[in-house]
Amino acid sequence: MNEDTPPMAFTGERFTPECVREIWYEHWHRYAFAAPLVAGKRVLDAACGEGYGSNLLAGMAAEVVGLDISAEAVGHARSRYADRKNLRFEVGDASKLPFADATFDCVVSFETLEHLAAQQELVAGFQRVLKPDGLLLISSPDKRNYSDIAGFRNEFHVRELYREELQELLLQHFPHVRLYAQKLLFQSALWSLDGQGSGCRVSSLDADGSGLVDGMTSAPLYYVAACSRQPLAPELPAISWFADRQESVYSHYNGEVRKNMSSGTRIAELEAEVQRLRDASTRKPRTRWFGWLRR
């Protein structure tokens, strides 16, 4: 990576790796999930943005093509990731792919669908450029939890989809679809330090705390879908975890807690001082004043 290339400005439309905390985890995790699945393959990263994800995939894939409609983003990516010989970037519309049929083993397109009105054309184009046994990895926010319940509107989103709408769209072009839920969560993890053991056990405490429920019970904020015209490969995991060594979100959380605790202590001290002054004011002697009135 060329460290001399200045970062792209973050406008809210395209993620940049200089972003921090929640959004950083969400975007990097999708590419970390995809990376082992593209080993030795020819990959299209459609709507690649800044290029950070294409660069990560190129560390595993035989070849990666990053495509984005923004000439500025492509120019930045070409400069910043120029040292990857199996990676190239092109300007193009993801809904009008400039590639021949059956060109790629895998198409990756994360957080693209909701930015376009031409969603049918987008997914149909992905199917066209994939080889018959190719894999599509695509993500999209869950409209119910991302917007409706949160009361949030993303100005860059053209059309968000509910889970049923997303599944219907994908199944029109790919008979085999597996949806993964994605959300940044507070979890307690146990892992075997000697690498031994089998399977994965996931449980959640039920709402009233009286028992355990198997599996994850959190409402998804995003969906990541694996799609194919052939039965999905067994190497697709049932669950995927992602972390950073700095534990940045947890560190930020702890820092905020410490600041709030310190502020609370200081507020209590100031309130006690105000009360002390009030008490002193009410106890102030007034004898001399009333004696002057009597004279």
Side-chain angles (χ1 to χ4, degrees), residues 208-219:
D208 61 7
S210 61
L212 292 174
V213 179
D214 288 337
M216 307 291 287
T217 57
S218 301

Side-chain angles (χ1 to χ4, degrees), residues 16-89:
T16 69
E18 287 72 33
C19 294
V20 295
R21 294 188 290 276
E22 290 87 351
I23 190 173
W24 185 94
Y25 270 85
E26 292 163 353
H27 283 72
W28 276 106
H29 190 182
R30 297 174 192 127
Y31 281 103
F33 174 79
L37 303 173
V38 304
K41 297 181 178 180
R42 191 173 190 214
V43 180
L44 170 65
D45 186 9
C48 65
E50 191 269 357
Y52 70 99
S54 303
N55 181 60
L56 182 69
L57 297 180
M60 301 283 287
E63 180 185 4
V64 176
V65 178
L67 180 83
D68 201 273
I69 200 168
S70 167
E72 177 192 5
V74 168
H76 168 88
R78 285 173 176 169
S79 173
R80 191 171 201 182
Y81 306 108
D83 58 336
R84 288 282 193 191
K85 303 308 178 186
N86 63 334
L87 172 62
R88 75 176 194 270
F89 294 95

Side-chain angles (χ1 to χ4, degrees), residues 4-295:
D4 295 330
T5 303
M8 283 188 68
F10 178 67
T11 65
E13 185 173 15
R14 288 180 180 85
F15 171 81
T16 69
E18 287 72 33
C19 294
V20 295
R21 294 188 290 276
E22 290 87 351
I23 190 173
W24 185 94
Y25 270 85
E26 292 163 353
H27 283 72
W28 276 106
H29 190 182
R30 297 174 192 127
Y31 281 103
F33 174 79
L37 303 173
V38 304
K41 297 181 178 180
R42 191 173 190 214
V43 180
L44 170 65
D45 186 9
C48 65
E50 191 269 357
Y52 70 99
S54 303
N55 181 60
L56 182 69
L57 297 180
M60 301 283 287
E63 180 185 4
V64 176
V65 178
L67 180 83
D68 201 273
I69 200 168
S70 167
E72 177 192 5
V74 168
H76 168 88
R78 285 173 176 169
S79 173
R80 191 171 201 182
Y81 306 108
D83 58 336
R84 288 282 193 191
K85 303 308 178 186
N86 63 334
L87 172 62
R88 75 176 194 270
F89 294 95
E90 298 183 8
V91 177
D93 187 340
S95 66
K96 301 174 183 177
L97 296 174
F99 305 107
D101 296 359
T103 298
F104 298 98
D105 300 297
C106 183
V107 172
V108 171
S109 191
F110 295 137
E111 300 305 284
T112 307
L113 193 61
E114 65 277 6
H115 290 264
L116 301 176
Q119 295 178 345
Q120 284 284 353
E121 293 85 345
L122 183 78
V123 180
F126 292 160
Q127 187 221 56
R128 180 183 65 80
V129 301
L130 275 170
K131 296 177 182 178
D133 60 348
L135 176 68
L136 169 65
L137 296 173
I138 187 170
S139 74
S140 186
D142 177 86
K143 185 177 180 180
R144 181 173 184 272
N145 295 302
Y146 183 89
S147 293
D148 293 353
I149 293 177
F152 175 68
R153 179 183 176 275
N154 190 315
E155 61 179 306
F156 300 106
H157 290 182
V158 174
R159 183 180 178 232
E160 296 171 359
L161 300 176
Y162 295 107
R163 174 178 176 175
E164 297 76 16
E165 293 175 323
L166 177 62
Q167 286 181 302
E168 181 182 356
L169 171 63
L170 297 175
L171 285 169
Q172 290 179 41
H173 304 278
F174 296 93
H176 302 277
V177 174
R178 180 181 299 166
L179 284 188
Y180 290 84
Q182 184 188 19
K183 186 179 186 180
L184 194 65
L185 300 171
F186 189 92
Q187 299 284 324
S188 175
L190 292 169
W191 57 95
S192 170
L193 292 178
D194 62 7
Q196 301 301 306
S198 62
C200 179
R201 182 182 302 162
V202 181
S203 59
S204 304
L205 198 65
D206 61 17
D208 61 7
S210 61
L212 292 174
V213 179
D214 288 337
M216 307 291 287
T217 57
S218 301
L221 198 58
Y222 304 93
Y223 294 112
V224 176
C227 314
S228 178
R229 282 175 281 178
Q230 302 296 327
L232 292 167
E235 59 262 29
L236 278 167
I239 190 168
S240 171
W241 295 83
F242 175 74
D244 65 328
R245 289 182 181 274
Q246 290 75 29
E247 297 184 330
S248 55
V249 169
Y250 196 53
S251 297
H252 178 258
Y253 165 79
N254 283 335
E256 291 300 304
V257 168
R258 285 193 293 270
K259 284 197 298 184
N260 288 337
M261 291 176 65
S262 177
S263 298
T265 300
R266 182 57 180 153
I267 289 170
E269 291 173 350
L270 292 173
E271 288 177 340
E273 177 65 13
V274 169
Q275 187 60 48
R276 187 188 66 78
L277 293 172
R278 285 174 176 166
D279 293 344
S281 174
T282 58
R283 292 195 301 268
K284 186 176 181 180
R286 299 176 182 271
T287 307
R288 187 174 300 173
W289 167 255
F290 289 116
W292 177 79
L293 284 177
R294 285 195 295 271
R295 289 197 298 269

